[in-house]
Amino acid sequence: MKTIIRASHLQKYFPVKKKHPFALGKTYVKANKDISIDIFEGETLGIVGESGCGKSTFGRTIIQLQPQTGGSTLYYGDTIEHFMPSYVKKVYQKLPKVLPHLDEYRENIERLESQLADKSSRPDQKGRDNLRQAKIAFEQTYGNTLRLLGGLVLYSNHQELSQKLLSIYELQALIIKEQQRGDEPDKAQVADLSKRIQSHQAKLMPLKKDLEEMKAAVQAHPDFHTYEAYVDAGIDLSALKNQESRVLRKDLQIIFQDPYSSLDPRLTVGDIIGEGLLIHRFFTNKQDPAYKTYIVDIMEKCGLKASFIDRYPHQFSGGQRQRIGIARALALKPKFIVCDEAVSALDVSIQSQIIHLLQELREELNLTYLFITHDLGVVKFISNRIGVMYFGHLVELASTEEIFDHPIHPYTRKLLNAIPTMGDEADWQIDEAYEAFRFNYDREEDGDPDWVEVSPNHFVKCTLTK
């Protein structure tokens, strides 16, 4: 399956204000701690867990509504060659400055990992913090460099490599600019635009050939394949400028948990739903006859009457406001939607309607959902896979059937055991399922260090004992 979002070692920490100005050090609320997950195109990934475990923060951070503290979040719904973000140019410009110190960063991480591995008793909290900081520094300095260059980082003439890559970047940026200008050109301009694009492409070909020769020159290096494994075509969402993020915002939408504060009280329902349509030029203006027809169609699909289009949010109930938020997100036909308790404010009959609507749209438009909820019945019905979160950690990940039929992590078992039943079923036992694992999921610690595949596509966070 094609990956659309990949989070690697994602962390989101909120600094806590010092009680007095002379307090030493910094303390943080660690909302998300080292989360790594691939979200596949066309699937619904459910995220469950108790209140305060970091589910909503994870949903907001993965689409960069809140900047992440560490790690990387890559988006595969577009390509770097087509989008050409500005951070690529910055990476190429800094190569002569950062590449000479690459080995130092790697050796420091390896040293800290070795020290931590030698601790056979209680986990070394200070050592883990040092390793976490080192990995954050490495990702910030070299993450995009390695993803863009791979084994090319071993090329000895850093200045020549930088200039060659910058020349390729400038030509590719010109081609994209010309192609965008050619979306709606006058007929007389078509031939001229085509000639300019062909000219840029002709200049690009020898530069790419030179780059291939540079890579061939370092392929015999013992570390070549190690660095080449970092190559990744994903767009780093955390490195984008505000304007670039706005361009991708139509692809990455969210349905907020609070239907009261998420709607502008000064706008009508029609303006709330249509604002994004105008910003992203689905329609040129409100006078377009298809503009209102499109909005009414989305409203009716979400259970809102067409006559509500000129009303304001304060005139609706909580459930109706939530439907407005759903309609606003769906209107832009996004590729990825974070559904943060999207149906929690709705009554049972409307819940069923909205869930079926989300499923129909997923199949029709190939949408991908990150479905955050407390309702285990809903998540079982709508999700393809389920991730279980506990105090900032993703502690178990598997298909829906596997999670409900064969839960491994003790917290997952406790969570499922909390589902009300009509009978006198005995509580699930939370003994360790495998002798090779033990579980340390104390909320005060950083949690278990190992992410283990206990069966095909079934992962659990634990501590290996063998």
Side-chain angles (χ1 to χ4, degrees), residues 31-32 35 47-61 257 338 340-341 370-374 387-390 392:
N32 294 148
I35 296 176
I47 298 292
V48 298
E50 61 191 71
S51 296
C53 70
K55 303 186 302 298
S56 295
T57 300
F58 174 62
R60 292 168 183 249
T61 303
Q257 180 176 359
V338 175
D340 187 6
E341 300 283 358
L370 180 68
F371 198 88
I372 299 168
T373 183
H374 291 96
V388 180
M389 286 192 67
Y390 181 80

Side-chain angles (χ1 to χ4, degrees), residues 248-278:
L248 288 182
R249 186 60 58 202
K250 65 180 177 61
D251 291 347
L252 307 169
Q253 287 290 300
I254 183 170
I255 302 169
F256 291 99
Q257 180 176 359
D258 185 358
Y260 292 91
S261 62
S262 62
L263 302 179
D264 191 332
R266 298 167 295 179
L267 298 180
T268 64
V269 172
D271 289 337
I272 288 171
I273 299 173
E275 185 178 26
L277 298 173
L278 297 176

Side-chain angles (χ1 to χ4, degrees), residues 49-181:
E50 61 191 71
S51 296
C53 70
K55 303 186 302 298
S56 295
T57 300
F58 174 62
R60 292 168 183 249
T61 303
I62 204 170
I63 61 172
Q64 304 303 308
L65 284 186
Q66 295 174 165
Q68 60 196 47
T69 305
S72 63
T73 304
L74 304 180
Y75 174 60
Y76 298 91
D78 206 337
T79 63
I80 289 180
E81 289 76 14
H82 176 261
F83 193 62
M84 201 50 65
S86 58
Y87 75 79
V88 175
K89 183 176 182 179
K90 291 182 179 180
V91 167
Y92 295 161
Q93 289 174 332
K94 293 181 179 179
L95 290 181
K97 181 178 179 181
V98 301
L99 285 185
H101 307 287
L102 176 59
D103 289 339
E104 297 176 17
Y105 277 77
R106 273 191 61 195
E107 290 170 1
N108 182 45
I109 291 176
E110 291 172 357
R111 177 180 59 80
L112 292 172
E113 287 177 338
S114 176
Q115 290 176 355
L116 201 60
D118 291 340
K119 303 290 183 179
S120 57
S121 57
R122 183 177 176 83
D124 184 358
Q125 188 64 34
K126 184 177 180 180
R128 286 186 180 180
D129 285 339
N130 291 337
L131 179 60
R132 176 182 61 83
Q133 294 289 352
K135 286 183 176 180
I136 289 175
F138 183 81
E139 170 63 31
Q140 290 176 340
T141 308
Y142 295 105
N144 285 320
T145 302
L146 292 172
R147 284 190 284 270
L148 290 169
L149 273 68
L152 269 172
V153 296
L154 297 169
Y155 193 76
S156 58
N157 192 331
H158 301 149
Q159 190 66 40
E160 179 188 1
L161 178 62
S162 174
Q163 292 176 352
K164 190 74 65 176
L165 289 168
L166 284 171
S167 299
I168 291 174
Y169 175 88
E170 295 297 342
L171 284 171
Q172 288 179 326
L174 283 173
I175 290 172
I176 292 173
K177 185 177 180 180
E178 298 288 6
Q179 289 173 339
Q180 290 174 343
R181 288 178 57 188

Side-chain angles (χ1 to χ4, degrees), residues 4 41-42 294 298 301 329-337 357-369:
I4 191 168
E41 186 178 52
Y294 185 90
I298 291 293
K301 283 182 178 179
L330 295 177
L332 292 174
K333 297 181 179 179
K335 297 178 181 178
F336 179 74
I337 302 179
L357 170 64
L358 291 173
Q359 288 183 316
E360 290 172 5
L361 291 172
R362 185 188 71 182
E363 295 173 0
E364 178 184 348
L365 304 174
N366 196 32
L367 297 176
T368 305
Y369 298 131

Side-chain angles (χ1 to χ4, degrees), residues 186-233:
D186 295 335
K187 291 183 178 180
Q189 296 177 334
V190 173
D192 187 39
L193 281 171
S194 179
K195 287 181 180 179
R196 288 205 297 268
I197 292 173
Q198 290 177 2
S199 175
H200 298 324
Q201 290 174 336
K203 295 177 182 177
L204 194 59
M205 289 178 63
L207 291 174
K208 287 187 173 181
K209 186 177 180 181
D210 291 344
L211 207 62
E212 292 175 359
E213 292 176 354
M214 288 179 173
K215 179 171 284 192
V218 297
Q219 282 184 350
H221 194 285
D223 291 332
F224 176 81
H225 293 291
T226 300
Y227 288 124
E228 190 68 12
Y230 282 93
V231 173
D232 198 309

